[in-house]
Amino acid sequence: MASMRESHDWSIDRALQLYNIANWGAGYFSINQKGHLTVHPCGQPGPVIDLMDVVDDIRERRLGFPCVVRFQDVLRSRVKQLNETFRNAIAQHGYKGQYFGVYPTKVNQMREVVEEILDAGAPYHFGLEAGSKGELLIVLALNSDPEALTICNGYKDEEYLRLALLGRKLGRKVMVVIEKLSELPHLLRLAEEMNVQPLIGLRSKLSTKGTGKWESSSGDFAKFGLTTPELIQAVRLLHEKGAEGLARLVHFHVGSQLTDIHTVKDVENEGARNYAKLLKMGLALEYFDVGGGLGVDYVGARSNRYVSSLNYTVDEYAADVIYTVQQICASEGVPEPHIVSESGRALTAHHSCILMNVFGHIEFGENGAVHEAHAGQAEKAPVPDAPETAVVREMREIVAGLTSKNSGETYHDAVAKKEQALTMFKLGILGLEERAQIEGLFWRLCRKLVEINKRRKRIPGQTRGLEDKLADQYMANFSVFQSAPDHWAIDQLFPIAPLHRLNEPPTRDSTIVDITCDSDGKIDTFIENETVDETIALHPLREGEPYYLGMFLTGAYQDIMGDMHNLFGRVHEVHVFVDDEDPEDYYIEEVIPGDTMERVLVRVQYEPSDLAKRVKQALDARVREGAVKPKESVSLTDFYEQAMRGYTYLASI
Ligand SMILES: *Cc1c(COP(=O)(O)O)cnc(C)c1O
C-alpha cells in the first residue's frame, strides 16, 4: 500500500480517509490545515483543540509521556446525546413512559468522570449504577437527586444490602436488583429490621444471546440473573410476604458491545415479554431496564463483521428499544414502562485518549541487516564485503535472478539456501560475517518481492503475507497492559493515528511495540480506510524531531483495568476543558501526575528508603575497598534516590 501514498497525490482528505477519522471519531475528531489532529469536544461546528497544542502544554509542564487526556466536554456531549436521543424516540413514537438512564460506574469510577456525567445528566435525572459495595459507597454519596435512579447490581452480601437500604433512608430511588434468589428473602428481612421500604428489581437471565465478544456472558448458562423457574419462585415469595408492590423494575444485561441491531431487537422482545407477564402476575413494575450493551464503533466500519464495530447508531438503538417495548406492551395490553439503560461504554469511550511519543523503530533494512533507527540517529552503514564463499555467492545469484515471473521459486530457493547456511553455521564451517551476508541478501530479496507483489493482482502463495512480516516496528513509550488492556486480552481495536505531519504521506508500514519486556506488548491490528489491517502507515522518523501518536476512544474500561506489568503503573493525566476566550480554545483544569517508581514499589511491598539504604551500604563498602571515591558515592546515592521519585516510563525528548 505504501507505494500508493506518494507526496504528489497526498492530501489532508487522504489522511482523514486512511485513518478513517470521521467514521470512528463520531464528529469529535478531525485534522486541521497544519496537518495536526484536532478535537471538537462539543461536536462540529464548535471550538477546536489542536492536539499538538496539548502536547506542547504537556511538555512545558515537564510532565512527559505517555499522558492521558480527558475531554470533559466530550463526556457532557455524550450524556446529552444519549438522553436527547431517547427523549426524541419517545416523542416520535408517542411512547407513554419516560427515559431514566443510569451510568454504570464500573466503566470508569474516577471522581471527575462520575461527577461530570452527573452534572451533565442533571436536567434528565440521570442516575448511577453500582455493581459492588465499593461502587455503592461512591453512588450513595454522589447521586443526591431524589428523582434519579440508583441501581444496585452484582452479588450482594448483608453489608451491601444494608448500604442499599441506607440509600432508601436518604430518600433516594435505590433499586436492589436481585441477581440470585437468596438475595430476596435476605433483603426483605433486613428492610423490616431497618424499618424501611425497599425497591426491588428482578434480573432475568434471557435465553437470547448477545452477539460479539461477550456472547458467552449471556444466554441460559450466564452467570447472573434468575431463570424462568426462579422468576416464578420470586413472584411467589413476594406474594407470600405481601411485597408485590415493592417489585418495581425488571432488568437484563446480555453483554457489552452488541454488534448487531437484530440482537438488540430480539433481546428487547424477550425482555419485554417477561415484563408484561410479570406485571400480569401482580408485580407493581414501573421500570424496564435494558442494561448495557450499546456499542461503540471503534473501527468506524458501521458493520457487525468486526467485534470492535457495529451496524447501528444510537438513534437506531433508542428507536428499536422504544418501538419493540411499545409493540409488546400493546399486544399484551399492559402499560408502557419507563425505560432505563445502563450504557457505560457509549458514554465514556470517546472522552479520553492517550498521547505517546515514538522513540525509535526497528526496520528490516534495505541494506539487508535488521537495524534500529532512533528518532535522532543516523542510519548505520552496510556490513563491509568479505571475500565471498560459495554459499554466499549462490545466494547472491539467486537474488540477482529474481524476476516477476519466477518470484515464487526464487523465494523458495532463497529460503532453502538460508537454511543450508544456518546448518553450516551450526557445524562451525560458516563464519558470522558470511551468515550476516546471507541474511542481508535474504532480506533484500524479501523487500524486492514485496515491491513486485504490490504491482500484481495474484500473489504466489509462498510470498503472501511477506509485507506484514517485513513491516517496521515503531517503539512507542507506553504499556499496552496499562493503557489498552482490552487490546491485549480480547483483541479490542483502538484507533491510532499520528498527531502531526498528516499533510505528509505516511510511507512506512509499521506495527507498534510498547516498552514492556513482553512479546505481547504490541499492537498489530489497525484501521486502514474502513477495514482492519495488520499494519499502520506512519511517517519516517526525523533526526532530533519527536514523533507523536494518539490512541483514541480509550475512555471506557481501559483506565481502571490497566495493570502494573513491568511496574510501569498509572500514566499522567490532564483534564481539558473548552474555553472560547482562550486563543487555543481550551485550558487544562487539572493535572494528575502518573505513578512514580516509589509508588509502584510500595505497592509490591518494597520500602523505598530501605532499598536506598541497601544501595548506600553497598556503595560505602566499595568506598572502603577504594573502588569508588567518597564524593562519587554521594552523588550516586543521590542519583538512585532521585530516580526513585521519577516517572516510571521513558523520559522523552
Ligand atoms: C458492565 C455492565 C454494564 C455496562 O455495559 P456497557 O456495555 O459498557 O454499556 C451495564 N449493566 C451491567 C449489569 C453491567 O454488568
Side-chain angles (χ1 to χ4, degrees):
M1 286 289 179
S3 62
M4 296 168 70
R5 295 191 293 264
E6 304 297 346
S7 44
H8 58 267
D9 65 6
W10 187 253
S11 64
I12 282 168
D13 276 344
R14 289 285 311 278
L16 277 168
Q17 224 174 55
L18 177 72
Y19 299 109
N20 204 25
I21 292 168
N23 286 325
W24 57 255
Y28 298 112
F29 299 91
S30 189
I31 301 176
N32 66 15
Q33 285 311 307
K34 289 188 203 162
H36 296 176
L37 217 106
T38 55
V39 183
H40 304 252
C42 312
Q44 296 179 36
V48 192
I49 301 174
D50 183 329
L51 275 174
M52 284 309 281
D53 287 340
V54 180
V55 165
D56 290 341
D57 229 338
I58 291 166
R59 291 178 64 175
E60 275 161 30
R61 288 167 196 250
R62 307 206 142 275
L63 265 183
F65 297 90
C67 186
V68 163
V69 184
R70 278 184 207 291
F71 294 96
Q72 299 294 92
D73 299 277
V74 172
L75 263 184
R76 304 187 72 87
S77 147
R78 300 298 292 174
V79 172
K80 186 164 174 227
Q81 190 202 5
L82 182 70
N83 281 284
E84 296 284 338
T85 305
F86 266 101
R87 285 194 170 189
N88 289 341
I90 283 172
Q92 265 170 24
H93 289 86
Y95 186 83
K96 305 278 181 337
Q98 285 172 263
Y99 173 69
F100 289 99
V102 293
Y103 168 62
T105 46
K106 75 154 189 261
V107 181
N108 190 328
Q109 300 94 337
M110 178 176 248
R111 180 172 55 79
E112 286 86 344
V113 171
V114 177
E115 284 180 345
E116 203 70 57
I117 290 174
L118 271 184
D119 190 61
Y124 312 99
H125 304 295
F126 202 70
L128 295 174
E129 183 261 9
S132 66
K133 281 189 277 186
E135 290 173 359
L136 185 54
L137 290 173
I138 299 174
V139 170
L140 283 177
L142 263 60
N143 186 16
S144 54
D145 178 351
E147 296 290 306
L149 289 174
T150 290
I151 306 271
C152 300
N153 288 324
Y155 292 136
K156 300 165 196 75
D157 62 5
E158 180 168 331
E159 196 172 40
Y160 189 149
L161 293 170
R162 283 185 186 274
L163 281 169
L165 293 168
L166 160 69
R168 292 292 294 145
K169 293 263 185 193
L170 297 173
R172 314 268 172 78
K173 281 212 176 91
V174 181
M175 294 278 167
V176 178
V177 176
I178 303 299
E179 304 264 14
K180 180 156 96 15
L181 203 53
S182 60
E183 290 170 359
L184 184 55
H186 200 173
L187 174 70
L188 293 171
R189 202 166 53 242
L190 291 172
E192 203 174 302
E193 184 199 309
M194 289 174 69
N195 191 27
V196 70
Q197 274 214 333
L199 296 174
I200 300 171
L202 297 177
R203 175 161 178 177
S204 63
K205 197 179 280 193
L206 299 188
S207 288
T208 312
K209 283 187 162 201
T211 43
K213 208 71 207 178
W214 280 266
E215 195 173 320
S216 60
S217 66
S218 53
D220 292 337
F221 299 101
K223 174 167 131 186
F224 286 117
L226 307 177
T227 59
T228 315
E230 284 170 334
L231 280 174
I232 304 283
Q233 257 181 290
V235 174
R236 272 201 207 119
L237 205 109
L238 287 164
H239 277 309
E240 276 165 28
K241 307 271 180 194
E244 313 84 311
L246 302 177
R248 301 287 174 80
L249 176 142
V250 280
H251 175 263
F252 54 85
H253 168 75
V254 295
S256 205
Q257 183 70 9
L258 295 172
T259 53
D260 191 350
I261 191 72
H262 293 293
T263 316
V264 175
K265 290 183 212 275
D266 279 355
V267 164
E268 301 310 321
N269 206 317
E270 189 186 348
R273 291 280 175 200
N274 268 342
Y275 157 78
K277 306 288 183 201
L278 288 168
L279 195 84
K280 288 178 179 174
M281 291 173 83
L283 303 190
L285 301 174
E286 295 174 274
Y287 297 93
F288 183 73
D289 181 351
V290 303
L294 173 56
V296 166
D297 196 351
Y298 296 90
V299 182
R302 292 155 294 179
S303 157
N304 62 335
R305 265 180 305 149
Y306 305 110
V307 290
S308 302
S309 185
L310 41 78
N311 65 4
Y312 59 93
T313 62
V314 181
D315 285 307
E316 286 164 329
Y317 176 81
D320 271 10
V321 170
I322 299 296
Y323 176 79
T324 311
V325 177
Q326 190 170 45
Q327 292 294 303
I328 305 274
C329 288
S331 83
E332 296 273 354
V334 295
E336 292 165 1
H338 296 314
I339 302 291
V340 180
S341 84
E342 306 173 346
S343 309
R345 181 186 299 276
L347 283 188
T348 56
H350 301 80
H351 93 283
S352 89
C353 58
I354 173 157
L355 310 186
M356 58 186 98
N357 61 303
V358 171
F359 62 96
H361 74 291
I362 301 167
E363 180 185 320
F364 298 88
E366 246 86 71
N367 305 321
V370 175
H371 68 251
E372 248 184 58
H374 290 271
Q377 199 175 301
E379 299 200 343
K380 286 180 201 154
V383 190
D385 280 355
E388 205 145 84
T389 50
V391 66
V392 177
R393 195 182 59 247
E394 284 153 22
M395 184 63 127
R396 194 178 296 287
E397 283 162 9
I398 292 172
V399 177
L402 173 72
T403 64
S404 59
K405 290 214 176 66
N406 68 9
S407 66
E409 302 105 83
T410 306
Y411 181 69
H412 217 258
D413 292 348
V415 170
K417 194 54 71 187
K418 187 160 147 283
E419 268 159 27
Q420 185 195 338
L422 179 62
T423 311
M424 290 166 71
F425 178 75
K426 285 186 191 159
L427 290 170
I429 53 179
L430 193 73
L432 202 57
E433 286 282 341
E434 287 82 9
R435 192 176 160 197
Q437 285 178 307
I438 295 275
E439 284 183 20
L441 287 163
F442 181 75
W443 290 121
R444 191 188 299 169
L445 175 76
C446 291
R447 286 259 169 223
K448 284 188 180 169
L449 283 169
V450 169
E451 285 307 310
I452 291 175
N453 285 351
K454 274 176 195 158
R455 277 180 262 122
R456 58 169 22 142
K457 283 208 183 70
R458 224 192 57 76
I459 296 171
Q462 300 96 315
T463 65
R464 220 169 279 159
L466 255 187
E467 192 176 350
D468 288 336
K469 282 193 205 132
L470 284 187
D472 292 350
Q473 291 178 343
Y474 272 54
M475 297 179 269
N477 189 12
F478 84 117
S479 157
V480 168
F481 304 90
Q482 170 63 234
S483 297
D486 278 348
H487 180 72
W488 170 70
I490 54 170
D491 292 328
Q492 153 101 54
L493 186 143
F494 295 98
I496 292 180
L499 302 183
H500 53 151
R501 297 175 62 186
L502 291 158
N503 46 4
E504 299 169 32
T507 50
R508 313 291 318 194
D509 284 317
S510 321
T511 60
I512 292 173
V513 294
D514 75 359
I515 57 172
T516 64
C517 305
D518 193 313
S519 48
D520 269 359
K522 62 176 196 271
I523 297 183
D524 51 12
T525 48
F526 302 94
I527 302 164
E528 183 168 290
N529 301 309
E530 283 186 37
T531 60
V532 173
D533 197 43
E534 286 164 38
T535 59
I536 179 172
L538 296 175
H539 301 88
L541 298 181
R542 285 200 201 119
E543 199 168 330
E545 204 180 283
Y547 186 58
Y548 295 102
L549 299 177
M551 184 191 276
F552 299 91
L553 313 194
T554 55
Y557 299 104
Q558 305 315 295
D559 283 338
I560 203 65
M561 299 203 311
D563 70 23
M564 297 252 292
H565 196 14
N566 264 152
L567 298 186
F568 284 116
R570 291 194 67 85
V571 306
H572 293 321
E573 219 180 282
V574 296
H575 296 180
V576 168
F577 275 88
V578 161
D579 180 6
D580 268 341
E581 313 272 285
D582 189 280
E584 289 173 341
D585 271 1
Y586 78 95
Y587 69 100
I588 290 181
E589 195 228 25
E590 185 149 25
V591 175
I592 303 174
D595 276 332
T596 58
M597 318 261 188
E598 222 164 28
R599 273 172 64 179
V600 297
L601 290 171
V602 166
R603 236 172 290 160
V604 282
Q605 297 282 61
Y606 294 94
E607 180 47 60
S609 61
D610 173 58
L611 296 178
K613 201 168 81 196
R614 291 194 206 198
V615 170
K616 184 173 182 305
Q617 279 166 355
L619 276 166
D620 286 347
R622 296 290 285 161
V623 169
R624 285 195 298 277
E625 287 165 16
V628 173
K629 295 210 173 63
K631 206 170 156 189
E632 197 184 1
S633 145
V634 172
S635 75
L636 286 171
T637 310
D638 284 351
F639 167 68
Y640 181 89
E641 285 173 357
Q642 191 194 325
M644 196 67 99
R645 292 188 287 273
Y647 195 21
T648 48
Y649 292 83
L650 300 189
S652 41
I653 20 175

